[in-house]
Structure formats: C-alpha cells, structure tokens
Amino acid sequence: MFHPPHPETYRDQLRAFLREDWGTQDWTTASVPDRPMTARVVAKADLVLAGLPVAAETLKLACGSMVIELPKHDGQKVGTGTEVMRLRGSSHGILLAERVMLNLLQRLSGTATLTRKFVDAVEGTGARILDTRKTTPGLKVLEKYAVRCGGGVNHRLNLSDGVLLKENHLAAVGGIRAAVESARRVAPNLVKIEVEVENLGQLKACLELPDVDGVLLDNMALDQMREAVALRDRSGRRLFLEASGNITLERARAVAETGVDFLSVGALTHSAPSVDLSLRMD
C-alpha cells in the first residue's frame, strides 16, 4: 500500500479543476434528473493504478454524501476489465465530477504504469529509477506520488529539498569548487549537495570535495559512465552517481548495468501517456 499525500495538499487544485470544467453551469447535467445512482470505474487496459484517493476526493467535492468503495489500491497492477472503484450517490454529483476525476486517474495511472516499466527494465542491477522536476504545474505532488506507486523514487519534491548545482549554477558562481563551498555555507546541514558534470575531469574535481554527496552524469556515453563508477569506487568516496539524459526504456538496462546508483527519467512525468479507464452508471 502507498500512502498518498494528505488531501489538504491538493484539495484546492481539485476545486480549481472542477470550477474550470463547470464554467457557470453544466447545462447537460442540469437537463437530466438528479436521483440516487450507482456507478463503477473499470480499467480498459493493463495498467498500474495511481490516484484512487485523489479520484475519490474529487467525487466527494462534487457530492459530499458520495459513498465510495475501492476494491483495488494504488500501486497495484490490474488487467483489462478490472473494476477499480464503486460509488453510490447523486447522479448530478457523479456526472459533474466524472471527467475531471477520470482525467486525473488516467494521467496518474499512466505515470505509474510507465514508471513500472522502467523499474522492471533495471530489475536486479541495484539501480533505482528517479523522477525529475519536469512536472505539470499544479500536479507536481500528485505526479511524484504516482512515480512512487510505480516503484520509482522521488528526486526532489521542490527546490528546498536539496542542492543540485547544474551547468548554469556553476557558470554563475565560477566553477565547481566555488559553487559547492557556497552551497554548503547557505544550505542547512542536512541538505545534500549534488553536482552535474559533463566529463570525467569534472567528476574528479567533485571527488576531491568532501561536501559533495552525489554527482549527476549528464548525457554521458556508456563507457564514460563505467569509468565514472570505477573512479568513484577507487576514490573510496560513498557519493552516489545519477545518470541523466536520453534515458529511454530501451537503453535503461544498459545504463543501469554500468553500476550507477540512479537513473533520472523526465519522461515519467512529462511524457507518460494516459491510460484508459471508464465510468459506467448502473
């Protein structure tokens, strides 16, 4: 079982999504009787679930008396035709929430499904799949939760969670040593410092700095990654190595087998296709 974010962290977004969809009035729903109804949400493809509590919260915002049953749970892989939610409540409430609820459930489950494919691809290597900050504004917390449902690991939930000194940061301060020393002075003691490098010379510079906790290997070839792992191991440093850039599903296992600790994959949140689920009233 996965622990979703507390509803207070995303409830305002759900209200905004519903207001956007409703406009001034849902004339279609207003034209049909409002009466007690039952409905169910069914998977129309093989997928990994994510966002069931979010879907339930969306329905409750449209109809506070909605009764919702969840026979399946987030992180669970289900097949075509599987019933993942049952609900009883006002027909108007169901209709008003249906599209927003399904859009969110399909998108989050799509992210979890793609993440699981990457996780399965590197199984047995010891490497783990990371997300990135390439998320949808307003959906970051939920998309990163969906990554966890798929078996992935969150990198940073926001900029305050860690220091990641990338190319532009290094250019702004004048190099790796200056950037790391400045970051250590500014950031709280428990905040980790990671540095993005593009070549082995920059990696060697990081290995000489005790305040560096991890290194992001940006767009390196496989042989460079293997050498980077060897350099780290020979140094005796315990800093982690993260591979980033062009991490496709087809390439993921080869990257993981170089010995890196993490593969960061922006596609998990910015390019995952939505999966197919449908709601049917009985």
Side-chain angles (χ1 to χ4, degrees):
M1 296 291 289
F2 291 85
H3 296 286
H6 192 282
E8 282 297 328
T9 65
Y10 58 80
R11 194 174 279 138
D12 287 345
Q13 283 99 321
L14 297 185
R15 290 192 180 98
F17 298 155
L18 289 169
R19 287 196 300 269
E20 177 188 56
D21 197 42
W22 293 346
T24 58
Q25 173 65 277
D26 179 356
W27 300 112
T28 312
T29 297
S31 70
V32 302
D34 187 15
R35 59 191 182 91
M37 293 286 290
T38 61
R40 56 197 180 96
V41 177
V42 176
K44 299 183 71 177
D46 296 344
L47 54 92
V48 176
L49 287 166
L52 286 170
V54 180
E57 186 69 25
T58 306
L59 288 159
K60 290 176 182 177
L61 287 173
C63 176
S65 61
M66 192 84 68
V67 176
I68 299 167
E69 299 175 33
L70 300 176
K72 302 298 179 182
H73 55 80
D74 282 355
Q76 188 171 0
K77 189 172 183 178
V78 300
T80 303
T82 302
E83 185 177 292
V84 303
M85 178 185 290
R86 305 184 192 103
L87 48 145
R88 301 191 306 277
S90 154
S91 59
H92 277 198
I94 295 171
L95 291 168
L96 283 167
E98 175 185 4
R99 188 69 268 155
V100 171
M101 179 273 291
L102 283 175
N103 286 350
L104 288 168
L105 188 58
Q106 291 177 151
R107 182 179 182 87
L108 298 178
S109 295
T111 289
T113 300
L114 181 59
T115 301
R116 183 69 59 82
K117 290 178 180 178
F118 273 92
V119 170
D120 289 346
V122 304
E123 184 178 5
T125 65
R128 305 186 72 184
I129 300 298
L130 283 175
D131 57 21
T132 71
R133 288 179 53 245
K134 296 177 182 177
T135 53
T136 308
L139 288 178
K140 177 188 293 185
V141 169
L142 298 181
E143 288 177 344
K144 283 181 170 282
Y145 166 65
V147 168
R148 298 198 301 276
C149 290
V153 180
N154 294 149
H155 194 286
R156 294 183 290 176
L157 288 176
N158 53 58
L159 290 171
S160 67
D161 284 341
V163 172
L164 176 51
L165 297 165
K166 305 193 77 172
E167 179 183 8
N168 288 334
H169 300 101
L170 301 180
V173 77
I176 291 176
R177 179 177 291 275
V180 171
E181 291 176 349
S182 178
R184 190 70 284 163
R185 286 193 301 270
V186 171
N189 184 55
L190 293 181
V191 170
K192 292 184 178 181
I193 297 176
E194 183 178 7
V195 181
E196 177 187 75
V197 304
E198 298 177 338
N199 56 63
L200 297 177
Q202 290 179 317
L203 171 61
K204 291 176 182 177
C206 291
L207 290 170
E208 295 172 357
L209 299 172
D211 286 324
V212 175
D213 298 292
V215 174
L216 185 154
L217 309 176
D218 184 41
N219 281 296
M220 284 192 178
L222 293 176
D223 58 343
Q224 286 181 297
M225 291 185 207
R226 282 188 283 269
E227 181 59 25
V229 172
L231 283 170
R232 187 270 310 273
D233 292 347
R234 287 198 297 268
S235 75
R237 293 288 307 281
R238 296 181 62 84
L239 55 76
F240 63 85
L241 296 179
E242 171 188 346
S244 180
N246 191 32
I247 308 295
T248 62
L249 193 56
E250 294 74 22
R251 188 169 177 259
R253 187 166 189 87
V255 173
E257 288 175 342
T258 65
V260 297
D261 303 289
F262 298 101
L263 284 68
S264 57
V265 185
L268 302 181
T269 51
H270 71 60
S271 296
S274 293
V275 294
D276 197 2
L277 296 113
S278 66
L279 180 147
R280 290 290 182 266
M281 282 192 182
D282 298 325

